[in-house]
């Protein structure tokens, strides 16, 4: 099924055959500059609006919209028009910018035990239009607050590089038509080597984030099972090629899990991997957020700070990710799309 944000401009031109040629511009800018669906684009004649609405329905049905207490985080729960699968999108307002975290698959097949999406399993790939529409619908919400979207992170449900062609088509649309530059787009991967290689061949230098979580194979395979297929040496080699080709610093993401990957030894092993790259990889520490299917808690705030300090002493630039939206289960690793989630938000701070 083709939904509203799937067709290219050329494909829309075919749908508009027989109409005055300026209708294409009106429709395209209505959709990508003003974030409207055809029925709300007043410059189009009513009959055409009705035809377009029928032929190109939106792909996301809004089920729920939750806002954090202070209003800085909004989580959308959608059902896909095709197949009814649930997915989520998170919109985050900061003082100077707004970021949308988009899903790239309904569910995820990577089975990382500490991630709620991984615990729930895989449904299907999202189409380019279903990815782009998450940005558009978030931008529509942001506009009600007089805010614009500045950054897109492909860090929602799913593994972007297990759906690379569709993710790339979405990147091009977000870049070319919504107008967000490559340096404001970040693709996060669990470390799918062929996907990173594909990305290396793509023209735009988007930011690459790699969810590392462990810097030795045995532990990493326990936490991130795909490591068995793409072990650290191969992953690092592929990162080096990406860095060489794109010239954009790589980020390693590290969810700090109490007594699992937060020891001094872990910090030293991580620093060693970071320093193998030039420029050295930047580390983004994420204190583990609670999920229903994982017993271990996140590292205590004191341990997080000590781990960060140790990395810095070893010459590695590390930041700790601000925890957003835990009370609406919108934080990293908590996107389960309406699965029954019972969370004790204080769990991660219990030490
Ligand atoms: N599949 C991609 C995109 C998801 S990004 C990837 O793994 O990179 C979501 C980020 O949140 C990843 O870095 C993931 O490892 C991390 N994450 C997953 N579960 C988490 C949890 N419970 N607490 C903190 N971070 C978590």
């Amino acid at each position: 099924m083709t939904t509203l944000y799937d067709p290219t401009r050329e494909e829309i031109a075919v749908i508009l055959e027989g109409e005055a040629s300026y209708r294409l511009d009106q429709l395209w800018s209505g959709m990508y500059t003003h974030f409207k669906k055809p029925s709300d684009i007043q410059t189009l004649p009513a009959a055409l609006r009705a035809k377009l609405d029928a032929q190109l329905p939106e792909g996301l049905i809004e089920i729920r919209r939750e806002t954090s207490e202070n209003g800085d985080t909004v989580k959308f729960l959608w059902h896909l028009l095709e197949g009814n699968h649930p997915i989520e999108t998170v919109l985050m307002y900061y003082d100077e910018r707004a970021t949308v975290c988009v899903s790239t698959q309904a569910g995820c097949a990577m089975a990382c035990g500490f991630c709620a999406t991984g615990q729930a399993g895989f449904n299907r790939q999202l189409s380019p239009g279903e990815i782009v529409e998450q940005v558009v619908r978030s931008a529509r919400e942001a506009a009600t607050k007089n805010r614009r979207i500045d950054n897109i992170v492909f860090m929602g449900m799913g593994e972007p590089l297990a759906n690379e062609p569709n993710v790339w088509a979405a990147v091009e649309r977000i870049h070319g038509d919504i107008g967000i530059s490559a340096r404001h787009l970040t693709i996060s991967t669990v470390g799918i080597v062929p996907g990173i290689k594909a990305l290396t061949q793509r023209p735009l230098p988007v930011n690459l984030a790699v969810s590392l979580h462990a810097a030795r194979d045995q532990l990493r395979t326990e936490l991130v099972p795909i490591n068995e297929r793409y072990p650290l040496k191969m992953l690092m080699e592929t990162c080096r090629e990406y860095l060489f080709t794109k010239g954009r610093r790589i980020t390693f993401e590290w969810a700090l899990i109490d007594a699992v990957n937060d020891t001094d030894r872990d910090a030293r092993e991580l620093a060693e991997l970071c320093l193998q790259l030039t420029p050295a990889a930047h580390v983004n520490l994420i204190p583990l957020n609670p999920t229903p299917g994982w017993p271990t808690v996140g590292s205590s705030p004191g341990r997080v700070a000590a781990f960060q300090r140790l990395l810095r002493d070893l010459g590695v630039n590390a930041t700790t990710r601000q925890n957003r939206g835990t009370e609406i289960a919108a934080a990293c690793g908590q996107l389960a799309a309406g699965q029954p989630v019972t969370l004790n938000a204080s769990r991660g701070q219990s030490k």
Side-chain angles (χ1 to χ4, degrees), residues 15 19 27 37-41 44-57:
I15 293 171
E19 302 287 339
L27 175 57
K37 52 185 171 195
S39 50
D40 295 330
I41 303 174
L44 298 175
L48 180 58
R49 279 185 257 154
K51 173 186 149 180
L52 290 168
D53 268 343
Q55 205 168 334
L56 292 174

Side-chain angles (χ1 to χ4, degrees), residues 101-102 104-105 108 110 112-117 119 154-161 187-191 209-213 224 253-257 286-291 294 321 323 331-334:
C101 176
V102 297
T104 55
Q105 300 181 312
C108 187
M110 295 299 116
C112 305
F114 55 89
C115 175
T117 311
Q119 290 158 15
F154 294 80
M155 296 187 182
M157 300 174 81
E159 169 46 47
L161 296 187
I187 295 182
S188 179
T189 179
V190 75
V210 177
S211 298
L212 210 57
H213 308 311
V224 178
E253 292 158 283
W254 193 279
L256 277 165
I257 311 172
I286 321 167
L288 187 85
N289 292 307
T291 60
W294 182 257
R321 189 173 291 174
N323 224 342
C332 303
Q334 293 188 314

Side-chain angles (χ1 to χ4, degrees), residues 228-241:
E228 183 123 57
R229 191 166 338 153
Y230 308 117
L232 283 164
K233 192 160 177 290
M234 193 193 285
L235 177 58
M236 289 298 295
E237 194 49 50
T238 314
C239 287
R240 200 169 295 123
E241 281 164 32

Side-chain angles (χ1 to χ4, degrees), residues 114-314:
F114 55 89
C115 175
T117 311
Q119 290 158 15
F122 178 74
N123 288 313
R124 74 163 168 85
Q125 306 286 18
L126 297 192
S127 72
E130 288 164 339
I131 299 170
V132 172
E133 194 178 321
Q134 294 173 63
V135 177
V136 169
R137 306 271 296 257
S138 302
R140 220 181 265 168
E141 156 74 23
T144 66
K145 308 256 182 328
N146 280 322
R147 298 288 301 255
R148 293 171 48 88
I149 304 300
D150 307 282
N151 295 293
I152 308 298
V153 295
F154 294 80
M155 296 187 182
M157 300 174 81
E159 169 46 47
L161 296 187
N163 187 16
E164 198 273 341
N166 288 356
V167 166
W168 193 260
V171 162
E172 293 205 316
R173 198 73 58 78
I174 292 166
H175 176 266
D177 297 295
I178 298 180
I180 300 180
S181 72
R183 64 175 52 243
H184 291 129
L185 305 176
T186 301
I187 295 182
S188 179
T189 179
V190 75
I192 307 281
V193 164
I196 301 173
K197 288 190 170 168
L199 213 57
T200 308
Q201 302 304 318
R202 299 293 191 180
L204 299 170
V206 299
N207 300 307
L208 182 66
V210 177
S211 298
L212 210 57
H213 308 311
R216 56 180 183 277
D217 278 313
Q218 193 195 356
L219 177 60
R220 189 161 194 269
T221 299
E222 273 172 41
L223 296 174
V224 178
I226 198 74
N227 186 68
E228 183 123 57
R229 191 166 338 153
Y230 308 117
L232 283 164
K233 192 160 177 290
M234 193 193 285
L235 177 58
M236 289 298 295
E237 194 49 50
T238 314
C239 287
R240 200 169 295 123
E241 281 164 32
Y242 187 84
L243 195 61
F244 179 75
T245 311
K246 301 292 180 189
R248 310 273 301 151
R249 183 187 295 273
I250 291 177
T251 302
F252 289 150
E253 292 158 283
W254 193 279
L256 277 165
I257 311 172
D258 183 38
V260 172
N261 65 354
D262 67 352
T263 65
D264 289 2
R265 173 189 174 191
D266 292 296
R268 280 194 299 272
E269 288 174 348
L270 169 56
E272 203 172 298
L273 287 193
C274 292
L275 296 169
Q276 278 178 20
L277 301 177
T278 320
H282 175 105
V283 174
N284 205 200
L285 298 171
I286 321 167
L288 187 85
N289 292 307
T291 60
W294 182 257
T296 322
V297 298
S299 307
S300 68
R303 188 58 213 159
V304 173
F307 195 88
Q308 180 170 349
R309 231 175 6 251
L310 187 50
L311 286 174
R312 286 193 180 161
D313 290 347
L314 292 165

